Amino acid sequence: MLFTYNYIPHHIEKLQEYLDFLFFEVWCKADGDFNVDKLENHGELQQIYIDLGNLEGAWASFFNGSIETIYKEFLKLDSVYITELINNYEINNNIENLCYNKDLLPLTYDDIKENNPNLAKALKDFYSKIYGSNSPFNLEVFGFLNKVLITDYDTQFMTANNKEICPFCGINHLKGNNHSYREAYDHFIPKGTYPFNTLNFKNLTPMCNECNSTYKLTKVPIFKKNPKKIDPIKNKDNRSLAFYPYAENHPVIEFSVKINTSNILQLKTDEIELSIDSKGYEEQIESWIRVFGLDERYKALLCSPSAGKDWFNSIMDEYQNAEALSDINGAEQYYNVILKDARKNIISGQGFIKSVFLEECKSKGLFEKKYND
Ligand SMILES: [Zn+2]
């Protein structure tokens, strides 16, 4: 990614705390029939459970029913497997470690299904429904997930992360606090494949619609190919490092562009060689390019009449205006002004790629030609 986000602590995290409590203190310690006393070490959640019991409606019965169903499934597990699940819960929720440590393999629903199909189903039924507009957390007792909690979280998030550019592509804008709608949040480790981290906000990042819904989809950034079969050894070879979206340190990424034509106005994608590098981060760069289809998208951007072709064209079209208004003399001098601006605005205005693209045009002498005409 081009830059990372600042993580925002927020009271929305209490939902994940409820889930942590359910997992560690209720399900993993399942013993005897479930009753409301099993929640006594978490007074707030116990009260919610009681209040939901008095409510009509599918969401309320779904939440309480899921707690009970999963509890029953845990009763059937032996202590060795429960210890494994505790370890896996922690692995699936430490997104930063999953990005940095290839020895860690996150647990999937399919892994659980192999020996415990009913447990896998119960967990998937629950975790796949707790995020989004049909989540029981949208009930008032939880503080209205979508209408209030995420909206407030997003406002604070976009205040602290105010570039309003998608860090995964650098091409598209993100809706900030001047919009009445917000950008969708992507589950970096996909929620349809991996249990336990659906409401972990370190696994949730705003992302432009094109990155989220066209390119990333269910791709898993920490695997070279999405693992299909349950095969721990193969999965280990298949592991890849990835940039962690909330990393506090992020390396500088170098772009370079080579163009095999002088006819920029007719530029085609196969005439462009693009390289994206950062020494020591080769694997992270590779997974970033793969997940977000960046080779294709950056080449398309350079060929676009409203981007690359326009950047070139506007220098050729406008340098004479600039000459009339300033002491600029010729396209090449005007190019220097535009290049300086692109280098200054690496993130806004796609300067990260605009600058290297214009430099390549310059090195091919494309701005001289006009000057000498
Ligand atoms: Zn994007």
Side-chain angles (χ1 to χ4, degrees):
M1 54 200 302
L2 285 171
F3 57 92
T4 54
Y5 283 129
N6 295 312
Y7 184 74
I8 304 302
H10 187 274
H11 58 271
I12 200 165
E13 290 166 332
K14 76 177 179 188
L15 300 180
Q16 178 71 13
E17 284 166 29
Y18 293 161
L19 298 172
D20 289 345
F21 175 80
L22 286 175
F23 179 81
F24 290 110
E25 302 299 325
V26 181
W27 298 332
C28 287
K29 292 182 180 170
D31 182 20
D33 288 345
F34 182 85
N35 63 60
V36 69
D37 295 340
K38 300 287 179 192
L39 303 172
E40 70 187 355
N41 290 330
H42 199 305
E44 204 180 311
L45 189 60
Q46 189 181 40
Q47 192 55 50
I48 287 174
Y49 178 86
I50 294 167
D51 292 346
L52 290 178
N54 296 323
L55 270 187
E56 299 272 318
W59 285 351
S61 60
F62 169 76
F63 187 79
N64 282 5
S66 299
I67 293 178
E68 294 154 25
T69 306
I70 296 170
Y71 182 93
K72 273 187 206 145
E73 291 304 323
F74 269 75
L75 274 178
K76 301 174 196 162
L77 305 177
D78 62 39
S79 62
V80 175
Y81 190 64
I82 289 180
T83 307
E84 260 178 55
L85 280 180
I86 288 173
N87 188 32
N88 284 308
Y89 188 96
E90 281 160 357
I91 290 174
N92 281 25
N93 272 294
N94 196 330
I95 312 304
E96 186 172 15
N97 275 353
L98 282 172
C99 290
Y100 299 157
N101 182 354
K102 289 200 283 181
D103 290 334
L104 298 175
L105 288 178
L107 183 77
T108 66
Y109 290 114
D110 284 345
D111 295 334
I112 301 172
K113 197 174 159 190
E114 208 180 10
N115 292 317
N116 298 286
N118 293 339
L119 176 67
K121 185 180 179 307
L123 289 173
K124 194 167 186 176
D125 280 351
F126 179 63
Y127 282 103
S128 66
K129 287 193 191 114
I130 53 174
Y131 185 83
S133 54
N134 290 317
S135 165
F137 289 127
N138 289 305
L139 288 165
E140 188 177 4
V141 282
F142 293 110
F144 300 115
L145 176 66
N146 267 16
K147 239 194 301 178
V148 178
L149 292 174
I150 296 189
T151 302
D152 186 68
Y153 175 78
D154 188 66
T155 303
Q156 292 191 29
F157 188 97
M158 287 301 169
T159 302
N161 295 281
N162 59 3
K163 292 189 176 79
E164 296 191 17
I165 298 280
C166 175
F168 300 96
C169 63
I171 298 174
N172 298 317
H173 282 268
L174 292 182
K175 294 177 197 74
N177 287 334
N178 294 319
H179 295 82
S180 58
Y181 295 93
R182 62 173 178 79
E183 219 60 67
Y185 281 58
D186 170 71
H187 285 85
F188 195 65
I189 305 295
K191 69 177 191 304
T193 311
Y194 300 95
F196 310 136
N197 51 24
T198 314
L199 267 174
N200 177 347
F201 274 76
K202 292 192 169 158
N203 191 32
L204 279 156
T205 61
M207 192 179 279
C208 79
N209 188 51
E210 191 181 23
C211 277
N212 194 351
S213 304
T214 305
Y215 285 93
K216 182 170 179 283
L217 301 167
T218 56
K219 291 191 193 103
V220 192
I222 58 167
F223 286 104
K224 290 177 201 142
K225 281 187 191 153
N226 271 14
K228 284 197 180 105
K229 276 189 268 166
I230 307 151
D231 186 342
I233 295 162
K234 261 196 192 150
N235 275 350
K236 213 155 201 169
D237 293 341
N238 189 22
R239 273 287 263 126
S240 161
L241 298 170
F243 288 127
Y244 172 51
Y246 293 103
E248 285 179 18
N249 297 306
H250 191 61
V252 174
I253 294 169
E254 311 277 352
F255 289 80
S256 76
V257 168
K258 275 211 78 58
I259 294 170
N260 303 316
T261 177
S262 293
N263 188 355
I264 300 297
L265 297 182
Q266 301 296 324
L267 182 64
K268 295 179 196 69
T269 54
D270 60 6
E271 293 165 334
I272 302 170
E273 290 168 43
L274 174 74
S275 73
I276 306 175
D277 300 295
S278 187
K279 210 172 158 24
Y281 292 88
E282 289 77 9
E283 221 174 295
Q284 287 92 332
I285 297 256
E286 202 182 294
S287 57
W288 176 45
I289 294 172
R290 174 183 61 80
V291 169
F292 296 100
L294 294 176
D295 190 67
E296 166 179 302
R297 291 167 76 192
Y298 289 148
K299 286 177 180 172
L301 186 76
L302 296 179
C303 294
S304 165
S306 61
K309 285 178 183 169
D310 181 60
W311 300 333
F312 174 77
N313 219 8
S314 66
I315 291 180
M316 304 309 277
D317 277 355
E318 287 167 28
Y319 79 91
Q320 282 163 329
N321 286 338
E323 278 178 336
L325 295 169
S326 65
D327 53 4
I328 282 172
N329 189 2
E332 214 171 282
Q333 275 194 14
Y334 187 51
Y335 150 85
N336 282 322
V337 174
I338 300 292
L339 177 67
K340 203 170 148 193
D341 188 62
R343 281 190 186 148
K344 206 167 71 190
N345 298 302
I346 285 297
I347 298 302
S348 64
Q350 295 143 3
F352 64 94
I353 194 159
K354 180 177 180 177
S355 57
V356 291
F357 171 71
L358 291 178
E359 281 171 321
E360 170 68 358
C361 293
K362 158 80 165 59
S363 78
K364 297 182 78 70
L366 301 181
F367 298 122
E368 279 164 37
K369 221 165 96 191
K370 188 83 180 189
Y371 179 51
N372 294 334
D373 279 350

